[in-house]
Amino acid sequence: MRPIRDIRSQADLEEAVRRCELRWQALEKGMREDEIAALLSLGLDRAEAQIRALGPHD
């Protein structure tokens, strides 16, 4: 994750919020931090699609 000091625009802020939301969703679905980091490195749109495809965590 980027440090807060690197957020310089509304777009940067929106991206940071989206990354946090995706990370939280992935944690709720039982993913590990290393898996989440790898997924987020693919880009936010791709990560979001992958997380949604997981379905609910049992």
Side-chain angles (χ1 to χ4, degrees):
M1 290 184 67
R2 293 171 52 185
I4 290 175
R5 67 180 173 273
D6 289 348
I7 297 175
R8 304 207 186 277
S9 67
Q10 184 67 30
D12 289 345
L13 178 59
E14 290 170 5
E15 180 182 327
V17 168
R18 188 171 174 208
R19 289 180 79 77
C20 288
E21 289 172 343
L22 290 173
R23 181 176 299 277
W24 184 256
Q25 290 172 19
L27 286 169
E28 286 181 325
K29 293 186 179 201
M31 291 184 72
R32 297 186 323 257
E33 284 289 342
D34 60 326
E35 295 171 322
I36 297 168
L39 198 56
L40 289 173
S41 73
L42 301 174
L44 296 182
D45 291 335
R46 193 164 172 196
E48 184 173 20
Q50 293 277 338
I51 292 168
R52 285 188 179 173
L54 290 173
H57 180 60
D58 294 326

